[in-house]
Structure formats: C-alpha cells, structure tokens
Amino acid sequence: MALRDWDLWGPFFFIVFLGLTLSWSASVKKSEVFAVAFALLAAGAVILTLNVLLLGGHIVFFQSLSLLGYCLFPLDVGALICMMENNVILKMIVVCVTLAWSSWAAYPFMSSAVNLSRKALALYPVFLMYVSVGFLTIAID
Amino acid sequence: MDFSQVIENYANPKTCFFHVLFKAAALAFYILSALFFNSFVIIFVVTVLLSALDFWVVKNVSGRILVGLRWWNEINDLGESVWRFECLDQESLARMNKKDSWLFWWTLYLSAVAWIVLGIFSLIRFQADYLLVIGVCLTLNIANIVGFTKCRKDAKKQIQQFATQTIASRFSSTLQSAFSVV
C-alpha cells in the first residue's frame, strides 16, 4: 500500500501552505494567525495520533502523522478559494464540502486502526480538528 | 594559510560545505532577519525550510559520505515500523577522513547548542511564536543527533566484534604454531 512509505515533507508543505493562506486572508494579526494555525495543526496531528495509540489502536506514529497531514489538502484548496471570495455563504459551502472531503479521506485509516466499540472516540477528534480549521477559514476576513 | 591547503585536509570538501551551509544559513537567517524583516511569517517559513533542508542533507548525504553511517525507518510486511541504524564495515570506517568526521559531529552538536541558546533568549522575552520556530528546528537537529549516535553505537559494537574476532583468530593461530613446533 502507498500508506507504507510515509514522509513528512507533504504534511509540512500542506500545513505551511494552509497557515500562509489563512495569514494572507487575515487583515490584522497575521503572524498570530500563522503561528496558531501551524501550532494547532502540528500539535493536533500528534495528539490525534496519541489518542488512537492510547485507545489501544494499531497504527504507526509517523504513518498517522503523514496521513493526517496529507488529508489537509482539501482544506488547503478550500482556504485558497475562501481567500479570494468575500461572500460568507459561499465560504460556508466551500468549507463544508472540503471538510467533508478531508474527513472522508481520513476515515478509513483511522477507523481501521481501532476496534469497533472505540471507532467514534478515535474519529470524533479528527473531525473536530478539521471543523476548527474550517471555522478559522470562514471567520477570517 | 592558502585556501587550497585548507581544502586538502578534507576528503570531501563539497559535502562538508553543504553540511555546514544550511545549518549556518538557518541560524544566520533567524538571527539577522529581525533586522530586515518585520514579518514573522517569512522568518518562520524560511528558517524552518532551511532547517528541513539541512535535516535532509545531513541524514541522506553528509552522514553517509563523511562518517559512513545511515539510519532510516521502514514499515515491514506485518505493518510494524522498524528503525534501522547501520554503519559501514570496519575497513571502510577506518579509511574515513578524521577531519571530515570531526567537522560532522562538532557542527551537529554546535548547531543544537546554538538553537538551545536562542530558545533560552526567546523564553526570556516571552516570545511564543519564535519559540515555535526554535522548537521545530531543534527537533530536526536532535533527530539527526539521536539517529547518528545510535549508528555510532552500532559501529562500536562492530569494533568490539571485530576485536574479539581478531584476538580469537590470533590466539588460535599462535596456539597452532606452538603445537606445530612441538
């Protein structure tokens, strides 16, 4: 499987790109936005992986980091589109679509790692993280 | 001292140069950028990018060429992650240039120390965002240090095995010559 060969260059690029896009969209406090976005995504990926490990799941730490980073791609596209748009309704639609796409991409890997009774516990924080990024994207003007 | 004389002492001057280049560039950019750029974002992105490039160069190029060590991670067929730390065989290790390996290890340790010192400065000034930059760069540096130190331990084990083998073979050969005389 392609998942076997993990690398962190992709996630690094996607996280930095998302931070840059959000920072460019912001009219004030650009540095804070970038720092918060980067720290949130990086720490979030680590904590989500630890969450699955603590739930007794079977994943490899770096593989999971790599996957969660690569799954940010739809949100990157969404943030790029939102940067160029000003209409709030359009932004909400774009964010919802990209959010669904990201979660749908991360779902198989995360759910297969834990046993059935704990699936929701593993998946909910992932969804929460992507939702918070979505909120950041909509709220920034 | 003539520049070419300095270069002669190193077996791989180009590799040494690149080994030091990105480390020094990341540190220099971080320290000097405050004078030129107002934007934290640019400082962050460029410093972390240079640090990541340095990590890649040290891990994949200068580690193998200057000190003959390599380390990486594989996922085996069972889906488990395996870390591999390897070194060259004894003869090739002995042939490594001493100056090359001195430069390799010293710059590795010195840059980690430099980042720690810069980290203490931003801690004192309560600059959380700069601490983030330093945290990332420090993590990359320490990852390389830990990886290559583990390779060195593998190398030391090899030296011990080699030594016991040579001692054992010499011992048996002296025994044999003693018995053949008798």
Side-chain angles (χ1 to χ4, degrees):
Chain A
M1 274 167 63
L3 266 181
R4 285 245 197 109
D5 306 318
W6 59 268
D7 78 297
L8 290 178
W9 287 105
F12 171 69
F13 175 71
F14 285 143
I15 295 182
V16 165
F17 183 78
L18 191 57
L20 281 175
T21 323
L22 290 175
S23 170
W24 271 323
S25 322
S27 44
V28 289
K29 290 196 172 195
K30 287 180 187 270
S31 349
E32 277 96 331
V33 168
F34 181 85
V36 162
F38 186 91
L40 171 75
L41 288 165
V46 171
I47 293 177
L48 286 172
T49 313
L50 284 178
N51 180 38
V52 173
L53 285 172
L54 286 172
L55 283 173
H58 303 289
I59 48 162
V60 180
F61 183 74
F62 285 107
Q63 233 178 15
S64 166
L65 284 185
S66 172
L67 175 105
L68 286 170
Y70 274 110
C71 283
L72 274 177
F73 171 68
L75 284 165
D76 270 7
V77 171
L80 192 60
I81 297 178
C82 288
M83 183 172 79
M84 302 189 280
E85 281 298 316
N86 263 327
N87 188 344
V88 178
I89 307 274
L90 189 61
K91 277 205 229 182
M92 284 210 275
I93 297 177
V94 167
V95 163
C96 282
V97 168
T98 53
L99 179 68
W101 184 3
S102 280
S103 310
W104 174 78
Y107 174 83
F109 181 74
M110 292 305 231
S111 67
S112 63
V114 283
N115 51 20
L116 276 171
S117 51
R118 298 176 179 178
K119 249 196 231 198
L121 277 175
L123 287 169
Y124 170 70
V126 178
F127 185 65
L128 190 62
M129 184 174 88
Y130 289 150
V131 161
S132 60
V133 172
F135 268 130
L136 259 181
T137 317
I138 300 181
I140 287 186
D141 60 357
Chain B
M1 201 170 21
D2 197 16
F3 196 52
S4 55
Q5 277 181 334
V6 173
I7 293 189
E8 261 171 29
N9 288 328
Y10 295 96
N12 300 293
K14 261 192 250 172
T15 316
C16 288
F17 172 69
F18 277 108
H19 175 84
V20 180
L21 173 73
F22 289 117
K23 285 200 226 318
L27 281 164
F29 187 84
Y30 179 82
I31 296 175
L32 297 175
S33 59
L35 300 171
F36 300 115
F37 293 103
N38 236 342
S39 156
F40 165 76
V41 176
I42 295 187
I43 297 177
F44 182 104
V45 174
V46 175
T47 310
V48 170
L49 193 63
L50 286 171
S51 244
L53 286 172
D54 164 64
F55 175 84
W56 187 88
V57 165
V58 170
K59 179 172 178 295
N60 292 304
V61 178
S62 56
R64 296 173 192 216
I65 295 185
L66 297 181
V67 283
L69 304 169
R70 63 182 180 184
W71 61 278
W72 73 98
N73 175 283
E74 296 179 329
I75 314 265
N76 63 12
D77 291 329
L78 300 169
E80 296 163 350
S81 119
V82 180
W83 290 96
R84 297 217 184 276
F85 303 96
E86 289 180 6
C87 63
L88 286 180
D89 56 277
Q90 270 319 109
E91 310 168 6
S92 317
L93 269 184
R95 275 191 276 133
M96 288 284 154
N97 188 335
K98 290 282 178 243
K99 270 215 150 181
D100 276 357
S101 47
W102 177 89
L103 176 82
F104 179 84
W105 289 107
W106 271 100
T107 48
L108 215 54
Y109 291 134
L110 273 177
S111 72
V113 167
W115 283 117
I116 292 180
V117 167
L118 289 172
I120 294 179
F121 281 156
S122 21
L123 201 60
I124 295 179
R125 288 190 216 158
F126 292 118
Q127 289 167 333
D129 5 5
Y130 286 99
L131 262 180
L132 188 63
V133 180
I134 293 179
V136 174
C137 298
L138 201 57
T139 311
L140 292 171
N141 256 326
I142 291 184
N144 257 332
I145 291 181
V146 167
F148 281 113
T149 314
K150 285 202 171 177
C151 289
R152 249 218 250 184
K153 291 211 186 131
D154 178 66
K156 283 199 184 146
K157 251 195 272 169
Q158 264 203 13
I159 295 179
Q160 283 177 343
Q161 281 178 347
F162 187 66
T164 44
Q165 260 184 5
T166 6
I167 292 178
S169 60
R170 281 231 194 115
F171 193 53
S172 60
S173 64
T174 40
L175 267 182
Q176 278 179 349
S177 52
F179 275 115
S180 61
V181 165
V182 169

